[in-house]
Each structure stands twice: as C-alpha cells, then as structure tokens.
Amino acid sequence: MAAFILRRVLHALPLLLAVVVLNFLLIAFTPGDPITLLVGDFPAPPEYLAQMRSEYGLDQPVWVQLGHYLWKVLHGDFGYSFAAQQPVSSLILDRLGATLELTLTALLFASVVGIALGVIAAMRAGKPLDGGIQALGSIGYSVPDFWLGQLLILAFAIGLGWLPSQGYNPIRGAAPGWEGFVQHLHYLVLPAFALSLRYLTLITRITRAAMLEVLHADYILASRARGAGEWTVIVGHALRNAGAPVLTVIGYNVGFVLAGSALVETVFGWPGIGRLLYESISKRDYPVMLAILLMVSATVVVANLLTDVLHRWLDPRVERA
Amino acid sequence: MPNQVPFPDFQPTINRRRVMGSALALAGGLAAPPLWAAGGKGTAVLAIDADPPTLNLGTTSDFAAGDISAKILEGLVWLDKDYNPKPALATAWTVSPDGKTYRFTLRRGVKWHDGREFTSADVRYSLMEIVGKLHPRAAPVFKNLGVEVDAPDAGTVVVRLQKPYAPFLAQMTVFDAPILPRHIYEGPAVVTNPANQRPVGTGPFKFGEWKRGTSITLVRNEQYWDAGKPYLEAIIFQIIPQAANRVPALQAGEVDELLDFYTPKPEVPRILADKKLYARRGVNIPAVYFMMFNVRSPLFANKDARHALAFAIDRPRLVKQVMNGLARPGYGAFGDGFKWLLNEEASYAKKYPFDPAKAKALLAKAGVKPDTVTLRMPFDAARAQMRGQAQIIQENLRAIGLEVSLQPLERSVYYDRVFAKHDFDVTLGSYFSAGDPAIGYTRLYSTYTGTSPNTNASGYANPKVDELLSQGATLSDRAARAKAYRELQAILNEDLPTLVLFDEETVDTASLKLQNVFPALDARDQWAGVKMVG
C-alpha cells in the first residue's frame, strides 16, 4: 500500500509542475492588463504605470517572470496581489475557511442525501417513487448552480423571507456563542444547497445504478435466504459493495465542487476562495489567479489519490488494475 | 473559520443578546477597549460592490476606495450641491488676480488619527509627492499646470500654477487631492506603503477593520476637529457583489445607503416607491453616456456617415428602455449638466432629430450601400446598460441598412482593444465630469495619440478645439469660459467625433433613519454630520 501511495505521489508532482507552467503561460498570453485596471478609470501618468509595472515585475520577459515565479512557489511564496496589495498566501488563508466550510457541507449533504435517494430509488426500481427521484435528478443535474442560486434567493430570501440572501453572518454583527452559530447556519443553507444539488443528483444516479447491479447478485439472494434483516442486506452487504463506484464519483468531483464554488460564492456574497478567484480574474490579478488554480489542481490530485486509496481498501481487487 | 476575529459589536440598539455579547467579549478578554465613543450613536451600513484595491485616495480614482476613504481622509475643500468649494482642511483661501496663485489658510489644532499634528508640510508633501505624481486624475493636470507648492509657515500653503486653471479649487477635494500624513508616507514607496490598507487621516472616521470579501468598518474619531461630530459611532461598508442583491438588502433594512453607482437601474422605480427610503435625484455630478466613432476607419472618416448615425439612433428610446427614464436624451458635446455653458442653437435636438430616412440619405451620400457594411462595436460587458444600449442601437442601424456586430468584452480586454489598439468602428462609454467640464470631459475631444484607457480613442484631432478647450479650462471668468464652451459645442456637434447618447440622472438612496445624508455634491463626502434616528 505504501509503495502504491508513493508511486501515485511521484506521478502527481510533474503533473502539478505542468499545471503551474501551463496556467502561468495561459494567463500571461491572455489579453488585458492588470495595471490599467488597478489605477482606475482615468488616464494615469506613464511614469506611474511604469513604476507599478516594475514594482510587480511585469516589465520582465515572460520566461523570466515564469522562472521567478517557479522559484518562489518552490519556496512557498505565492507572490503579492496587485489588486489587494498584500501577500497572496494571507489573502487565501483569510478565505480558505469559508470555502472549506461551504464545499465540505455541500459535498457531505450531496453524499448523504444522494446515497439515500439512490438506495431508495433502487429498492423501488420501476415504481412511481423511483420515477419521481429520477425525474427530479435530471432536472437537478441540468440546472446551472448560479441560476439555481438566484432562484433560491428569489424564493426563500425575497419571497418567503426565511433565509438571508447573501453574506456570511448578519451585517451588523453576529450574536455570541450558540445563537451566533445558528444564525451563521442560516447563511450557509442556500449556498450549500445550490452548490450541492448537481452532485447530489449525480450521486443518486450512480448509487441507484450500482445498487441495482448488486441487488441481483447471488450473495444478496443468499443473504436474504439466510433470513438476514432488510437493513443488514441493504446497508451491510449491498451498499458496501456498491460503494466503490459511488466513492469514485464523489472523489473525482471534489475539484468540480471547489471550482463551482466560484459562481455560488459570488451569487451569495460568500467570502471564500471561489469569489476571490472570480474577482482576481476580472482584475487580472495574476498571482492570486495562479495560486488558486494551483490550489484547486492540487486538491484534485490529492482527492483523486485519496479516492484511489480508499477504493483499494474497499475493493482489494483494484490493486491489479 | 475566517472572519471570526474578535471585534466589538457596533449595534447601537440595546437588547439582551448584544449586551451579553459585549459582556462575554470583555469577560473573555478578547476585545480591546471598545472602539466606539460615547458621543456617537448608530452604525450605518453602506453597500459597496467589491474590496477596493487600496484605501490611499492619492493613487486611485476607484469609486469604492473614494466612498470609504472620503470618510477617513479630507481635502482642503469640499464641494456643496451647487459646486461651491467649502472649507475642510483649509479654512480660507485667496486667489491672485492673475488666477495663478492660491493661498490657503489651514485649520489649526487638527490631529492625525495617530495623534500627530497636521501641518502645512503634510499638504505640501501630499500635493507634490503623492497627488501630483500618482493620482490618476490630478497628476496629469498638475503636470500640465506646473504646480509648485510652498509652505511658508505651519498654517499656510501657497500653490503656484504656471497658467490659470478655472476648476483648480474644485479639484482640491478629497477625491482628487486628499491630504495624507507625511510622517507615514515619507520614505517607503507610496504605492506599497502598508498605510494604504489601514489609512491614517484627519477625517471624522478612523479605519477600524477590513474583513476581505466581507466588510470594512470605520469607527468614530473622538478627536475630530469639528467638536461633537461625527454623530455616528461607526460605518460598515458591506460588500455585496451581486447588484441584484443590493436593493433587497436596502429594502430589508440590512443596508442603510445605496449609491447610484451600485444600483441596478431597472430596480430604481422600486426604490423610489419605497416609503422607508429617501432618494436624492437631480443633484449629481453631470455624467454623459456616448458613442465614440473611430474616425480613423474609412467609413467614419466621413462626417456624413457620423451624421447619419446621429439621425438614426433613437435617443429618447435609449433613455426610456435602458435607463428606465432616469436620463435625458443627448443634448450635445458637453451634455446638459452645466447650465451656464449650453449652446441651444447647436443642440442635437435642433441638429439631429430622430429621422431614419434622412440617415439613409446621408449614408448614401457617404457612399455606403445598404446592407454591405458591418460595424464592430466593442463595449464593456460588465455594464448591463451598455448591452441594452448596444442592442437598441443595433436595431436602429439595421433599419438604415447597417449591420452591427456587438462585441461585449471583459473590461481589461475592452481597454486594450479600444484605447490601445483602436480596433473598433464605434464603441460605447460614459464619463462623469467631476464637477467641471474641464476635469472630466476634455479628454474626449482633445488631441491625443496615446493609449491610456478612457481617453479620446476616436482619433479626432482639431487644433481649434484644443485651443478652445484650453481656454475653457484656464479662463477664470465664467462668462468667458461659457463663450469658449459654446463655440466648442458648435464645432463638436457638427464634427461629431462622439455622439452623446444621454445625460445620466443619478439616484442615491438612503434609509429614512439616516439624516442629513447627502449635503455634498458627491454623496460619498461629508459624513461627519450624518445622524441616525430610530
């Protein structure tokens, strides 16, 4: 197992390097100039523009910039944000918690509810309940999350007034202690739901398919024949065996959830990495863009690695594959 | 979790939860002594759209930066609703008869937020080393005027210009010439000084805390020179990135003020109908929306073709459908915001009434066969009203046999395409005048061959126009200035390098709980006197 993990890590390193270089070059050759955006809407004196450009190293040739950048990244320095005028790492650390909270909640919700719905649908295969779950799933899977977000705001924040439309905590300050925590959860509900729906329906579909496959397997029949309870049969035997593909889907989607948070966080004014990415793109804040893209790539790589390890643990036959 | 930095709760309303909150915070030793003072009452929440790049107003004209910093920093003067300069850090001033020397008497007993005394050395340093070199709007003007600043004593500043400049005082506001502390900025590079993120000023509010992506909080300056003021204990600038969410937040009372800049126009009628809100209309810094012709392109090198478009575009319809009626159809080269300079004879209403048949005839005269030409029209995709205008214009021009290819671009790409590469046929833009036509609008028409954003991209160059623009800016007598501007309108409305589509009417809104909220020309200014009731 250790060798397996080591091999995967060694594979991941050049991949990450390629990601950094590719991202850097893509961004360097995108039209648009961060300095013009930075100075605002009036024509700035050329000396000022030149000063800013040299301040941020933008007057150097691209390969020199790339070399500097790689060297710094190797030393854990992700540079200095043009737009926020502070180190990128502190900018990201400031926002990381909010994004982890949102994405992990969304993933957890999508996994738990998705698996439950998938199991129910499989057990009622061909019945109206199954049809209903599948129909809702198709809709949920095709609705873009930012649009869903707007609809949720219209319905639950503006229409019914049940939940806040945007933000992280009440504007005028959160209450202390437990009450503040509950207040905060109100702010989490809509964005987490908007972010999770697509994955929820995906997980439902995969779970249903995987369950249908194993429900007809001999060992399930045997287990039933032995008189095992329905709970034991479904959760103990069927789900355990259907779990591998479901887990794979969840693991492979971690990166998408993280990337998807850009739009959801923007719609709901959630102060996370996703919104930071969105803002940094519109401001051409290269160091921030690069650092976030690298972070998302690294998360995808790590999530895939963990998925493979877990997969192997669930199903030892994978080793040979 | 981020954003959980212990921070005192500014909510003035006393209820059990809040009292407990403060008590707990104090008991836990989390909070520093309360940042607010006994003299202030109420916390105002103001909506902004994003984190500003910096809070140093000496190096940016960013709108949100101005909104926040104008409450921390001060200028020598501020402008009232009628464009009159009023005392701020300067209590009085005299202008020499030739209009080239300004002598300012500074307010005494003013302290910086860190306790240091404010003196003329700060003013001299700010104007010469920061504003005059780095301010995107003021630096070019200062350079052009050859500004020299002397500080003969701690309470006096003398500014010498090489040539007179009529709007000079109007440009001495916090937005164009903020006074910054020399003792903090002298030495390290200005643009990377940490004080840009935690500004130290002389203004009514002190910088409190910046929760990136969420909010920026200012707290009452207890040592403010205008004793007893400010009345508010704190101001929170809440970042609401989605325009669509700002109006509900205002109507729900989560936000107390929403400036026109952040307000989606289609929502304005809803705001105006809300009895809990106060809206200020009509008092604003004149701003024009326009279409720029690329006169380098073979088609628009011909004046008849430009005239054809002026006849073909239904400006009243743009006002009605794009601006929800909150604008006035284009009047002419300098808009209709400055009543003292209007030239009715040259107005668009007289010269270019909506007339598609006439437009077609002019196009034919210009040698354009119907349905053979496609115009490239790039515009800033982030601005919804640009898209709306572009679509109506496309329809108007199709009716006279011109196809328009709409090219919505991201802002930085748009700047590059239009202002650096000049790769367009027509484009849309808007400028505001900053209180004087010479400050904002001149760059639309004066000869310019550079590539800075938001400067004459049409390629229009006319020495007579340059001369008159210079007269308009430098003559100190308003009647003489008006004469220059009237002549300019006659030339520019005929040459038409740029077609002004409409004059914007801004609507700034606030909760009725805020009193005396818009005393100044610029709604972001003069918050010392704002009170909160109820």
Side-chain angles (χ1 to χ4, degrees):
Chain A
M1 188 67 133
F4 171 79
I5 296 175
L6 186 69
R7 205 166 60 236
R8 288 300 315 272
V9 170
L10 287 178
H11 280 167
L13 287 177
L15 188 64
L16 281 177
L17 179 71
V19 164
V20 175
V21 172
L22 197 68
N23 283 342
F24 189 93
L25 294 177
L26 274 177
I27 288 172
F29 292 112
T30 311
D33 175 19
I35 302 299
T36 36
L37 290 170
L38 192 56
V39 295
D41 63 341
F42 269 74
E47 305 90 81
Y48 178 52
L49 293 178
Q51 189 189 339
M52 299 288 273
R53 233 176 272 286
S54 96
E55 201 94 55
Y56 294 119
L58 292 167
D59 53 348
Q60 307 279 328
V62 171
W63 57 89
V64 177
Q65 291 184 39
L66 174 62
H68 279 165
Y69 185 71
L70 285 176
W71 183 250
K72 283 197 299 187
V73 168
L74 277 177
H75 292 80
D77 176 1
F78 293 93
Y80 195 79
S81 156
F82 313 147
Q85 302 196 355
Q86 55 174 264
V88 171
S89 43
S90 74
L91 207 58
I92 288 183
L93 283 178
D94 261 2
R95 306 267 197 118
L96 188 61
T99 289
L100 285 179
E101 183 189 340
L102 177 64
T103 47
L104 292 181
T105 308
L107 267 178
L108 189 70
F109 179 76
S111 306
V112 171
V113 179
I115 290 173
L117 286 177
V119 169
I120 293 170
M123 289 168 67
R124 297 275 179 280
K127 304 259 168 59
L129 185 60
D130 176 37
I133 290 175
Q134 290 206 64
L136 281 178
S138 310
I139 297 170
Y141 190 71
S142 7
V143 173
D145 46 17
F146 59 91
W147 188 69
L148 174 69
Q150 295 285 12
L151 290 187
L152 291 174
I153 289 175
L154 278 177
F156 294 100
I158 298 176
L160 297 168
W162 290 351
L163 290 163
S165 65
Q166 64 92 45
Y168 187 81
N169 264 325
I171 290 177
R172 290 170 207 273
W178 181 247
E179 200 181 338
F181 178 70
V182 174
Q183 261 180 357
H184 169 67
L185 287 186
H186 280 90
Y187 285 79
L188 179 63
V189 173
L190 292 184
F193 183 72
L195 185 58
S196 70
L197 188 64
R198 187 182 167 83
Y199 305 99
L200 191 157
T201 56
L202 183 66
I203 291 167
T204 302
R205 207 189 298 173
I206 301 292
T207 309
R208 179 181 178 276
M211 286 294 285
L212 279 180
E213 213 166 280
V214 297
L215 278 178
H216 298 293
D218 291 345
Y219 65 87
I220 298 290
L221 274 177
S223 168
R224 286 216 164 102
R226 280 199 305 273
E230 191 63 11
W231 179 256
T232 316
V233 171
I234 296 296
V235 178
H237 298 299
L239 193 56
R240 163 100 203 230
N241 285 290
V246 175
L247 183 75
T248 311
V249 166
I250 296 173
Y252 287 166
N253 276 293
V254 168
F256 291 105
V257 175
L258 197 57
S261 69
L263 290 170
V264 171
E265 287 180 3
T266 303
V267 169
F268 289 96
W270 188 263
I273 302 284
R275 213 175 100 207
L276 186 64
L277 175 64
Y278 179 88
E279 288 162 6
S280 64
I281 291 172
S282 61
K283 289 175 182 162
R284 289 288 183 277
D285 198 349
Y286 299 158
V288 178
M289 285 161 75
L290 282 170
I292 297 178
L293 292 176
L294 176 61
M295 205 184 79
V296 173
S297 317
T299 310
V300 170
V301 169
V302 171
N304 286 359
L305 180 70
L306 286 178
T307 310
D308 288 352
V309 170
L310 275 174
H311 200 159
R312 226 178 72 127
W313 172 73
L314 270 179
D315 186 354
R317 287 169 300 172
V318 173
E319 191 166 9
R320 288 191 298 274
Chain B
M1 281 194 292
N3 307 321
Q4 297 296 305
V5 187
F7 195 62
D9 179 0
F10 294 118
Q11 178 67 20
T13 339
I14 294 181
N15 64 27
R16 186 173 46 88
R17 187 200 302 162
R18 310 229 176 254
V19 171
M20 271 177 60
S22 305
L24 276 176
L26 288 173
L30 288 172
L35 290 169
W36 65 87
K41 185 172 167 292
T43 294
V45 178
L46 281 52
I48 56 173
D49 57 350
D51 283 310
T54 169
L55 291 177
N56 180 354
L57 268 193
T59 62
T60 186
S61 57
D62 180 87
F63 191 86
D67 201 359
I68 299 158
S69 298
K71 293 154 183 90
I72 302 173
L73 304 169
E74 292 176 300
L76 292 177
V77 304
W78 62 279
L79 295 181
D80 73 5
K81 287 177 191 169
D82 303 314
Y83 313 101
N84 296 313
K86 296 281 184 186
L89 283 176
T91 52
W93 48 87
T94 55
V95 189
S96 65
D98 65 1
K100 294 202 278 195
T101 307
Y102 288 75
R103 191 180 186 86
F104 294 95
T105 305
L106 301 182
R107 195 175 293 283
R108 303 308 294 155
V110 176
K111 292 239 185 319
W112 292 102
H113 293 160
D114 62 3
R116 295 278 282 261
E117 198 179 334
F118 156 78
T119 72
S120 58
D122 295 308
V123 178
R124 186 175 182 283
Y125 184 81
S126 302
L127 297 184
M128 294 299 288
E129 301 302 323
I130 302 179
V131 169
K133 287 185 178 162
L134 303 172
H135 192 278
R137 197 158 47 215
V141 174
F142 272 48
K143 185 170 285 178
N144 181 33
L145 297 174
V147 170
E148 284 296 330
V149 183
D150 289 329
D153 61 65
T156 310
V157 165
V158 179
V159 181
R160 291 194 178 81
L161 321 178
Q162 278 167 10
K163 47 190 171 187
Y165 178 61
F168 183 74
L169 266 179
Q171 211 157 3
M172 286 292 105
T173 63
V174 68
F175 300 106
D176 278 27
I179 304 304
L180 294 147
R182 185 182 74 149
H183 63 277
I184 284 176
Y185 279 97
E186 203 169 33
V190 170
V191 287
T192 51
N193 194 305
N196 297 342
Q197 309 293 314
R198 310 179 55 84
V200 171
T202 56
F205 293 91
K206 299 201 277 192
F207 177 81
E209 187 195 25
W210 190 339
K211 291 183 194 167
R212 294 214 167 249
T214 304
S215 62
I216 294 169
T217 302
L218 311 184
V219 296
R220 182 175 195 268
N221 172 13
E222 292 152 60
Q223 263 83 51
Y224 191 52
W225 52 262
D226 198 351
K229 287 183 181 173
Y231 299 126
L232 293 173
E233 73 190 55
I235 299 176
I236 298 175
F237 293 89
Q238 179 70 19
I239 297 171
I240 306 182
Q242 288 276 304
N245 291 346
R246 290 178 207 135
V247 175
L250 177 74
Q251 292 192 290
E254 286 180 21
V255 161
D256 300 312
E257 184 213 49
L258 185 60
L259 294 185
D260 181 82
F261 185 84
Y262 305 118
T263 311
K265 289 287 177 201
E267 306 278 345
V268 171
R270 201 142 65 86
I271 298 178
L272 293 176
D274 193 322
K275 297 276 180 287
K276 297 192 299 297
L277 302 175
Y278 166 76
R280 177 172 85 155
R281 295 178 67 166
V283 177
N284 54 8
I285 298 170
V288 292
Y289 280 67
F290 51 80
M291 185 167 84
M292 233 189 275
F293 297 101
N294 190 350
V295 302
R296 301 173 198 85
S297 79
L299 175 60
F300 290 119
N302 188 318
K303 197 157 77 175
D304 288 327
R306 306 201 289 266
H307 286 180
L309 265 62
F311 280 110
I313 293 171
D314 189 348
R315 294 182 294 274
R317 183 177 162 202
L318 291 177
V319 168
K320 199 167 151 219
Q321 294 186 351
V322 179
M323 300 301 281
N324 237 316
L326 294 163
R328 301 175 298 274
Y331 186 92
F334 296 91
D336 68 355
F338 297 101
K339 303 296 172 211
W340 53 272
L341 55 73
L342 300 184
N343 181 348
E344 206 196 327
E345 286 312 301
S347 72
Y348 289 173
K350 290 220 164 122
K351 286 177 77 84
Y352 310 111
F354 179 57
D355 187 347
K358 183 106 187 250
K360 271 188 186 168
L362 279 166
L363 266 192
K365 193 175 158 207
V368 180
K369 290 196 186 73
D371 306 319
T372 58
V373 177
T374 300
L375 304 179
R376 295 160 305 154
M377 187 199 273
F379 57 89
D380 182 349
R383 304 182 63 189
Q385 60 275 51
M386 295 302 175
R387 184 180 297 271
Q389 288 173 58
Q391 286 165 345
I392 291 174
I393 291 171
Q394 185 183 43
E395 201 182 307
N396 284 164
L397 296 188
R398 195 173 282 151
I400 61 163
L402 279 178
E403 194 53 50
V404 181
S405 126
L406 304 187
Q407 305 180 334
L409 299 173
E410 211 197 345
R411 187 165 302 161
S412 64
V413 183
Y414 165 78
Y415 281 163
D416 190 54
R417 172 84 68 83
V418 171
F419 295 97
K421 299 206 170 81
H422 302 135
D423 182 13
F424 69 100
D425 295 309
V426 286
T427 186
L428 301 172
S430 74
Y431 290 172
F432 71 93
S433 61
D436 192 286
I439 302 177
Y441 297 156
T442 301
R443 63 206 155 113
L444 258 176
Y445 307 113
S446 63
T447 302
Y448 179 73
T449 52
T451 59
S452 286
N454 288 318
T455 310
N456 182 354
S458 63
Y460 177 72
N462 182 340
K464 179 71 185 163
V465 166
D466 289 340
E467 188 197 321
L468 286 167
L469 284 172
S470 166
Q471 282 182 26
T474 54
L475 293 169
S476 46
D477 174 43
R478 183 172 273 191
R481 296 186 73 195
K483 188 162 167 284
Y485 281 113
R486 274 197 277 272
E487 197 177 339
L488 275 166
Q489 283 166 78
I491 300 171
L492 291 169
N493 292 359
E494 172 60 26
D495 281 2
L496 216 65
T498 294
L499 175 70
V500 173
L501 298 169
F502 50 82
D503 280 68
E504 186 183 19
E505 190 185 335
T506 54
V507 179
D508 299 311
T509 330
S511 154
L512 283 176
K513 285 198 272 179
L514 286 185
Q515 291 186 341
N516 192 27
V517 68
F518 300 127
L521 179 67
D522 192 316
R524 299 172 292 173
D525 201 1
Q526 295 304 305
W527 272 67
V530 176
K531 271 187 181 167
M532 196 166 217
V533 295

